[in-house]
Amino acid sequence: MTSEIITSKELKKMDPVFGQHSFDDHEQIVFCNDKDTGLKAIIGIHNTVLGPALGGTRMWNYASEWEALNDVLRLSRGMTFKSAITGLNLGGGKAVIIGDAKTQKTPKLMKRFGEFVHSLNGKYITAEDVGMTTEDMDTVREVTPYVTGISESKGGAGNPSPITAYGVFMGMKAAAKFKFGSDILEDRNVFVQGIGHVGEALVEHLVNEGANVTISDISQERLEEVRSKFGVTIYGGDDLYSERMDIYAPCALGATINDETIDKIQARIIAGAANNQLEDEKKHGRILQEKGIVYAPDFLINAGGIINVYAELEGYDKPEIMRKTENIYNTTLEILDNAKVNNITTQTAAMNIARERIETRKRENSK
Ligand code: NAD
């Protein structure tokens, strides 16, 4: 085996991990490597002031290890603020496994990953994310108790998506109350982009309330399925952003509010489930504010899923989960009002409150 010698000049040019924008004061990053199972994973622990760092594991075929590192850092940081704003006693963490979930995921690999999680003694608690299933979490559970999102038959809280959708619906109603003076969504034009697990459940709430729902998705099959179930309209145009609508609900991918789309957006409210909707939190948040578009921060209104897994740790029953998720309505209104009073973006208002909660706890802990 040859080892390459890196000159000090080259070292200076390398992007240090601690200096990455997404590093943002992470407490700990764990690189997990196992030759026998082919496991290459990274666990990011951003902050544990409020409690153990809880966040799902994503398995993805990343183009590079740097991309995987960047993703886990960005996601774990997001979890810190999501749990803080929701009032949960949880810190922020996330894990990524590098590889194709369809072809490279095996029970042995999942168990080995579980052993790495276990070695952190509960500082990080995992759950499912993209590329993971409830069954995978059941496999992890065989080697560590530090896992949530396991099957209901094994004492877990089950599928989080309907709860996430309910929280998004609550956040959307609060944004409507703020913008239109009424939270009744009857006859409002709502575009739901992405009708997967969360999107479809959101469509159901909207249809029950009498909203005019238009759906878009890259899967024609899903579109037909959801249309036949709920009688909604399939979007027929080629530029959804330019359409006039009351509410735009991004429920597919992140970063759909970006340099290309922001000038075109005609919606009066943006409220959806996708994580990291603003490509650039500061810049795009500010432009939305200037355009008078009410943006319900994603990490605030899509917290139903984390409430659902938190319930597994705290032993909450379903009514308690629903009550906590319903409270997203009040928190959203509070944040929208706060942003207006202080003339700041809604994203900043939400981040400020989350940071304040963490700082207060830190002061209490150090007494
Ligand atoms: P999903 O994979 O079930 O659904 C995503 C849907 O979006 C699919 O139907 C897919 O075909 C569609 N899609 C993909 N690219 C698209 C595009 N360019 N335009 C339109 N549609 C497109 O995912 P999900 O569980 O419903 O989650 C949706 C979003 O919400 C994700 O961003 C996820 O990270 C976020 N989220 C989910 C939960 C949860 O509980 N599931 C919790 C918090 C946040």
Side-chain angles (χ1 to χ4, degrees), residues 58 75 79 82 94 128-130 159-165 168 192-201 215-220 222-223 240-241 250-254 256 272-277 298-299 301-306 308:
R58 176 171 292 191
L75 291 165
M79 292 309 295
K82 186 182 297 205
K94 202 91 181 180
E128 62 178 281
D129 194 73
V130 177
N159 179 10
S161 303
I163 315 289
T164 302
V168 170
V192 181
Q193 181 187 42
I195 36 150
H197 293 101
V198 181
E200 178 177 343
I215 53 173
S216 82
D217 201 289
I218 47 170
S219 160
Q220 197 58 35
R222 289 290 300 140
L223 286 168
L240 182 144
Y241 304 100
C251 295
L253 309 171
T256 55
N275 282 312
N276 304 315
Q277 291 166 24
D298 49 14
F299 69 97
I301 72 167
N302 72 12
I306 187 94
N308 196 51

Side-chain angles (χ1 to χ4, degrees), residues 48-318:
T48 57
V49 171
L50 295 173
L54 194 150
T57 295
R58 176 171 292 191
M59 185 159 185
W60 194 254
N61 217 352
Y62 292 100
S64 72
E65 290 171 7
W66 280 111
E67 195 191 301
L69 176 63
N70 190 47
D71 203 32
V72 75
L73 293 178
R74 208 175 45 88
L75 291 165
S76 58
R77 173 183 180 272
M79 292 309 295
T80 296
F81 298 114
K82 186 182 297 205
S83 287
I85 195 83
T86 311
L88 308 180
N89 289 322
L90 291 175
K94 202 91 181 180
V96 296
I97 298 176
I98 301 170
D100 187 335
K102 287 204 178 86
T103 58
Q104 288 170 278
K105 191 170 64 181
T106 61
K108 270 190 179 160
L109 179 134
M110 289 313 301
K111 272 193 197 165
R112 190 70 190 97
F113 173 69
E115 285 166 4
F116 278 107
V117 171
H118 193 67
S119 71
L120 293 165
N121 283 316
K123 193 171 182 185
Y124 168 68
I125 301 173
T126 197
E128 62 178 281
D129 194 73
V130 177
M132 287 291 140
T133 63
T134 308
E135 290 71 43
D136 294 323
M137 293 305 113
D138 291 346
T139 307
V140 171
R141 182 69 185 85
E142 289 174 29
V143 293
T144 181
Y146 304 123
V147 52
T148 55
I150 52 176
S151 335
E152 281 182 277
S153 61
K154 293 194 162 68
N159 179 10
S161 303
I163 315 289
T164 302
Y166 184 58
V168 170
F169 183 58
M170 287 295 116
M172 193 182 273
K173 280 172 88 63
K177 175 84 181 160
F178 180 83
K179 180 80 179 168
F180 309 128
S182 163
D183 63 14
I184 296 169
L185 299 176
E186 191 176 2
D187 294 332
R188 293 278 171 212
N189 294 315
V190 186
F191 277 59
V192 181
Q193 181 187 42
I195 36 150
H197 293 101
V198 181
E200 178 177 343
L202 177 63
V203 167
E204 186 169 3
H205 286 296
L206 290 165
V207 167
N208 288 343
E209 181 134 332
N212 294 325
V213 181
T214 304
I215 53 173
S216 82
D217 201 289
I218 47 170
S219 160
Q220 197 58 35
E221 202 184 324
R222 289 290 300 140
L223 286 168
E224 293 300 345
E225 245 177 71
V226 174
R227 172 168 60 185
S228 68
K229 235 172 164 174
F230 301 105
V232 291
T233 308
I234 294 176
Y235 179 57
D238 58 6
D239 191 7
L240 182 144
Y241 304 100
S242 305
E243 299 292 336
R244 287 199 175 277
M245 62 185 88
D246 291 315
I247 304 172
Y248 163 46
C251 295
L253 309 171
T256 55
I257 300 149
N258 54 46
D259 283 346
E260 274 179 32
T261 59
I262 196 141
D263 289 336
K264 297 190 278 184
I265 295 178
Q266 302 275 338
R268 300 165 79 192
I269 289 173
I270 299 175
N275 282 312
N276 304 315
Q277 291 166 24
L278 304 176
E279 188 177 57
D280 181 324
E281 284 177 14
K282 284 197 179 124
K283 178 179 164 190
H284 298 126
R286 187 177 38 73
I287 300 175
L288 290 179
Q289 185 192 8
E290 285 164 6
K291 288 180 71 160
I293 298 171
V294 173
Y295 170 65
D298 49 14
F299 69 97
L300 163 66
I301 72 167
N302 72 12
I306 187 94
I307 294 172
N308 196 51
V309 291
Y310 185 61
E312 279 182 34
L313 303 174
E314 297 290 319
Y316 296 156
D317 54 11
K318 272 275 181 280

